[in-house]
């Protein structure tokens, strides 16, 4: 498979390109969806092709094709060079400063004990419909749904520096949810099974049945929940809820291409300007946010990125102080770093790599602390569990987040479910209000598989994580009132 990729690089090199790389991908995706007591859809797709990226006269060109042959390689490389030549007519003043990287030969394969593509459709249907059946036993539940989604990406990469890299990554994702209907109201409650770079072994029928009972009961409980109070309260977030807040207020805010203005027209910029590096008080001393593209089973753990840089682990925030960004080889020099952080990824063989959020998580507390002990120090507060609606501005600064289930806290205990609760804050204000997070025994990870960025839009996946965490004096407002 590498021969044609190296052939592409050789053509580009002989044509005078400063750098070129070529990727060939084989992608298989399967998705099974259930609705009540039947499957509602099932898809199984296979997709393959290659892309060539060239740096020519200080400008980028990229082209791709689903036809993998020597003749097609020559055409695609020629097209990429023509695009670069045209791009060179409008060069940036500072050009492209490409960070050096040693040529590597690397094979990476994610853990997959039970290949999901060999599991029968009957077994997948049994898993989902068994959960739906349990949820529908609750008389208030009028709709029960779920899905299983699997993806395998085999990737071959070569560049003009001599790198030869291969990865084989299998990702799995699943969720179930119940919709309960009451008097002039309906409420949804869900459970997301681990989204992870693993196979079918991470999904057990017993766990789906157990979670289905809880999901149905809590969907019913949401029907009688009272409207959330408004004002300033101490809040506690579970690991899943905080994972989304980490993603939006830290992950996107610290993508270096966004900081440098490359995303302004599509998805905004960032308040984390370069002068804040190693000085800005991003959060309290309880806040250390770690990026780790070597995280076991993490969705962004793929061995190497699409610049040919191996996965790395680094601190985004240490003890509350902002440290550094996620970067690719084109951007590292903007912050005086000699090497890329290895965070440039493309979502398809026909996509050009862009900087993406790595696996990113809040480190657990250093002293023993259980969720019960965390809540015991809250007189009147709000507990947020799971992900729900959110919004955040173009600078990743002002935001509001809801929860899939929300409880009032009184005198250190849960005191009934609430609805329509949202927490609203500014990113540094929120993270500086963090006064405690539970220890490593309560730390959990959660996968994001639908992170959109770029123009044309690319969809990436990554893992976030946290233990239950407490924030003091956060503004609570109401969203929809039913």
């Amino acid at each position: 498979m590498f021969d044609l990729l190296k052939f592409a690089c050789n053509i580009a090199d002989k044509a005078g390109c400063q750098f070129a790389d070529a990727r060939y991908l084989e992608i298989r995706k399967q998705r099974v969806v259930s609705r009540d007591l039947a499957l509602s859809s099932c898809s199984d797709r296979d997709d393959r092709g290659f892309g060539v990226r060239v740096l020519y006269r200080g400008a980028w060109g990229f082209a791709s094709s689903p036809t993998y042959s020597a003749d097609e390689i020559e055409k695609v490389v020629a097209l990429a060079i023509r695009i670069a030549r045209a791009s060179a007519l409008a060069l940036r003043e500072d050009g492209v400063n490409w960070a050096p990287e040693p040529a590597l030969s690397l094979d990476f394969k994610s853990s997959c004990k039970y290949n999901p593509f060999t599991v029968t459709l009957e077994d997948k249907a049994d898993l989902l419909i068994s959960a739906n059946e349990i949820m529908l036993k609750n008389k208030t539940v009028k709709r029960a749904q779920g899905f299983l989604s699997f993806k395998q990406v085999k990737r071959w990469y070569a560049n003009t520096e001599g790198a030869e890299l291969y990865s084989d990554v299998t990702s799995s994702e699943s969720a179930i949810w119940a919709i309960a209907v009451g008097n002039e109201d309906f409420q949804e409650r869900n459970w997301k099974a681990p989204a992870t770079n693993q196979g079918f072994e991470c999904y057990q029928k017993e766990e789906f049945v157990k979670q289905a009972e809880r999901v149905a009961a809590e969907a019913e409980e949401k029907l009688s929940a009272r409207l959330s109070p408004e004002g300033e309260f101490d809040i506690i977030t579970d690991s899943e809820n905080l994972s989304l807040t980490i993603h939006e207020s830290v992950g996107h805010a610290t993508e270096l291409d966004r900081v440098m203005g490359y995303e302004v027209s599509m998805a905004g910029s960032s308040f984390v300007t370069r002068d804040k590096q190693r000085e800005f008080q991003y959060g309290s001393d309880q806040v250390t946010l770690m990026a780790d593209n070597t995280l076991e089973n993490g969705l962004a753990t793929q061995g190497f990125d699409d610049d040919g840089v191996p996965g790395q682990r680094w601190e985004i925030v240490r003890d509350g102080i902002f440290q550094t960004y996620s970067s690719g080889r084109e951007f590292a020099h903007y912050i005086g770093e000699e090497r890329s952080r290895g965070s440039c990824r493309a979502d398809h063989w026909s996509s050009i790599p862009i900087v993406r959020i790595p696996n990113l998580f809040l480190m657990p507390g250093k002293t023993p602390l259980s969720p019960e002990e965390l809540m015991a120090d809250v007189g009147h507060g709000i507990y947020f569990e799971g992900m729900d609606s959110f919004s955040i501005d173009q600078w990743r600064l002002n935001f509001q987040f809801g929860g899939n289930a929300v409880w009032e806290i009184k005198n250190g205990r849960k005191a009934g479910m609430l609805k329509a609760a949202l927490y609203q804050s500014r990113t540094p204000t929120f993270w500086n209000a963090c006064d405690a997070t539970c220890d490593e025994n309560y730390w959990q990870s959660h996968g994001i598989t639908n992170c959109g960025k770029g123009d044309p839009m690319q969809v990436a996946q990554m893992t976030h994580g946290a233990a239950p965490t407490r924030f003091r004096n956060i503004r609570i407002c109401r969203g929809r009132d039913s």
Side-chain angles (χ1 to χ4, degrees):
M1 195 62 72
F2 281 112
D3 288 346
L4 285 179
L5 297 181
K6 289 192 286 186
F7 178 55
C9 293
N10 288 336
I11 296 172
D13 191 47
K14 289 179 180 176
C17 292
Q18 299 156 263
F19 172 84
D21 60 13
R23 291 176 290 118
Y24 177 82
L25 270 68
E26 293 180 358
I27 304 168
R28 185 176 178 185
K29 293 181 178 178
Q30 186 184 79
R31 187 175 178 88
V32 180
V33 182
S34 67
R35 181 171 177 172
D36 297 335
L37 300 181
L39 293 185
S40 58
S41 68
C42 179
S43 63
D44 195 333
R45 293 180 294 163
D46 190 284
D47 184 16
R48 57 192 66 195
F50 73 98
V52 176
R53 179 175 58 163
V54 301
L55 181 59
Y56 182 76
R57 296 182 181 175
W60 288 110
F62 177 80
S64 62
S65 171
T67 303
Y68 197 51
S69 67
D71 288 345
E72 189 71 1
I73 289 274
E74 292 186 75
K75 294 176 185 174
V76 166
V77 174
L79 177 58
I81 292 174
R82 285 204 302 275
I83 292 171
R85 186 180 291 120
S87 299
L89 298 174
L91 279 180
R92 295 198 307 267
E93 287 185 4
D94 54 351
V96 174
N97 192 337
W98 193 239
E101 189 69 26
L104 292 178
S105 178
L106 176 69
D107 277 13
F108 174 82
K109 182 174 173 54
S110 65
S111 172
C112 182
K113 297 176 182 175
Y114 194 177
N115 186 346
F117 296 100
T118 65
V119 178
T120 66
L121 182 59
E122 288 76 13
D123 285 345
K124 291 166 182 168
D126 178 57
L127 187 69
L128 293 173
I129 294 174
S130 295
N132 288 358
E133 192 173 25
I134 294 295
M135 290 188 283
L136 289 168
K137 285 182 179 178
N138 185 307
K139 299 303 180 187
T140 67
V141 174
K142 304 303 181 186
R143 171 74 19 99
Q145 293 180 267
F147 74 85
L148 288 161
S149 183
F150 307 102
K151 181 172 69 172
Q152 183 182 29
V153 179
K154 295 181 180 179
R155 181 177 49 144
W156 291 261
Y157 173 95
N159 65 27
T160 48
E161 298 166 335
E164 291 187 27
L165 310 172
Y166 171 73
S167 65
D168 180 352
V169 175
T170 298
S171 307
S172 303
E173 180 187 17
S174 183
I176 58 172
W177 61 98
I179 299 174
V181 178
N183 294 328
E184 300 182 348
D185 190 15
F186 69 92
Q187 294 290 334
E188 180 266 347
R189 181 73 171 117
N190 65 48
W191 172 68
K192 295 175 182 175
T196 175
N197 278 355
Q198 289 180 284
F200 201 77
E201 66 273 11
C202 52
Y203 301 136
Q204 305 297 326
K205 184 175 179 179
E206 294 76 12
E207 183 66 16
F208 273 65
V209 168
K210 173 186 169 184
Q211 295 294 342
E213 291 176 348
R214 181 181 64 85
V215 163
E218 291 181 357
E220 180 182 11
E221 187 180 355
K222 286 178 74 172
L223 290 173
S224 56
R226 70 183 186 87
L227 283 174
S228 172
E230 295 183 293
E232 287 196 353
F233 294 88
D234 297 339
I235 72 167
I236 292 176
T237 57
D238 83 329
S239 57
E240 182 182 341
N241 182 275
L242 193 59
S243 288
L244 182 59
T245 311
I246 291 170
H247 181 91
E248 301 294 345
S249 69
V250 182
H252 279 309
T254 55
E255 293 170 320
L256 188 51
D257 62 337
R258 184 186 297 270
V259 173
M260 297 308 301
Y262 281 65
E263 280 286 309
V264 172
S265 64
M266 176 61 185
S269 184
S270 171
F271 76 97
V272 191
T273 48
R274 286 178 290 170
D275 59 305
K276 293 182 170 61
Q277 194 173 16
R278 296 186 176 86
E279 293 187 2
F280 181 61
Q281 191 77 44
Y282 211 106
S284 72
D285 60 6
Q286 301 295 310
V287 176
T288 291
L289 289 149
M290 186 71 72
D292 189 355
N293 282 340
T294 68
L295 179 71
E296 186 176 11
N297 304 326
L299 290 170
T301 303
Q302 301 176 7
F304 55 93
D305 75 348
D306 288 316
D307 280 350
V309 181
Q312 299 169 40
R313 175 183 169 100
W314 71 98
E315 291 171 326
I316 300 284
V317 175
R318 181 198 303 155
D319 299 330
I321 305 298
F322 171 62
Q323 298 297 308
T324 195
Y325 303 88
S326 304
S327 66
R329 294 177 68 178
E330 185 176 354
F331 299 96
H333 75 96
Y334 285 121
I335 51 174
E337 294 190 351
E338 295 182 354
R339 192 186 186 202
S340 160
R341 296 289 175 175
S343 286
C344 225
R345 307 196 296 277
D347 70 345
H348 195 257
W349 50 264
S350 63
S351 301
I352 195 166
I354 56 177
V355 176
R356 303 308 307 240
I357 298 175
N359 299 316
L360 175 62
F361 46 88
L362 177 66
M363 294 293 286
K366 298 174 183 174
T367 56
L369 184 67
S370 70
E372 293 75 19
E373 292 169 323
L374 186 75
M375 192 175 294
D377 197 21
V378 175
H380 190 194
I382 314 287
Y383 176 75
F384 288 85
E385 188 172 290
M387 301 179 189
D388 204 82
S389 66
F390 75 95
S391 68
I392 188 165
D393 70 16
Q394 296 269 323
W395 286 83
R396 301 283 151 177
L397 188 57
N398 300 283
F399 65 67
Q400 61 183 31
F401 288 85
N404 188 246
V406 181
W407 285 266
E408 189 169 23
I409 301 171
K410 285 189 175 179
N411 301 318
R413 295 176 179 272
K414 285 183 180 177
M417 196 174 267
L418 301 172
K419 56 186 173 184
L422 299 167
Y423 57 91
Q424 192 175 63
S425 190
R426 301 175 83 244
T427 294
T429 304
F430 179 77
W431 287 106
N432 275 284
C434 174
D435 80 330
T437 186
C438 292
D439 64 56
E440 60 184 359
N441 294 309
Y442 305 97
W443 189 94
Q444 293 182 334
S445 63
H446 298 275
I448 300 282
T449 59
N450 60 349
C451 175
K453 182 182 174 183
D455 186 8
M457 176 74 75
Q458 296 189 39
V459 178
Q461 60 184 37
M462 63 288 294
T463 292
H464 301 307
T469 302
R470 187 174 60 214
F471 300 83
R472 298 293 192 184
N473 301 317
I474 301 297
R475 175 174 169 73
I476 298 294
C477 60
R478 291 175 187 162
R480 61 183 176 87
D481 60 4
S482 63

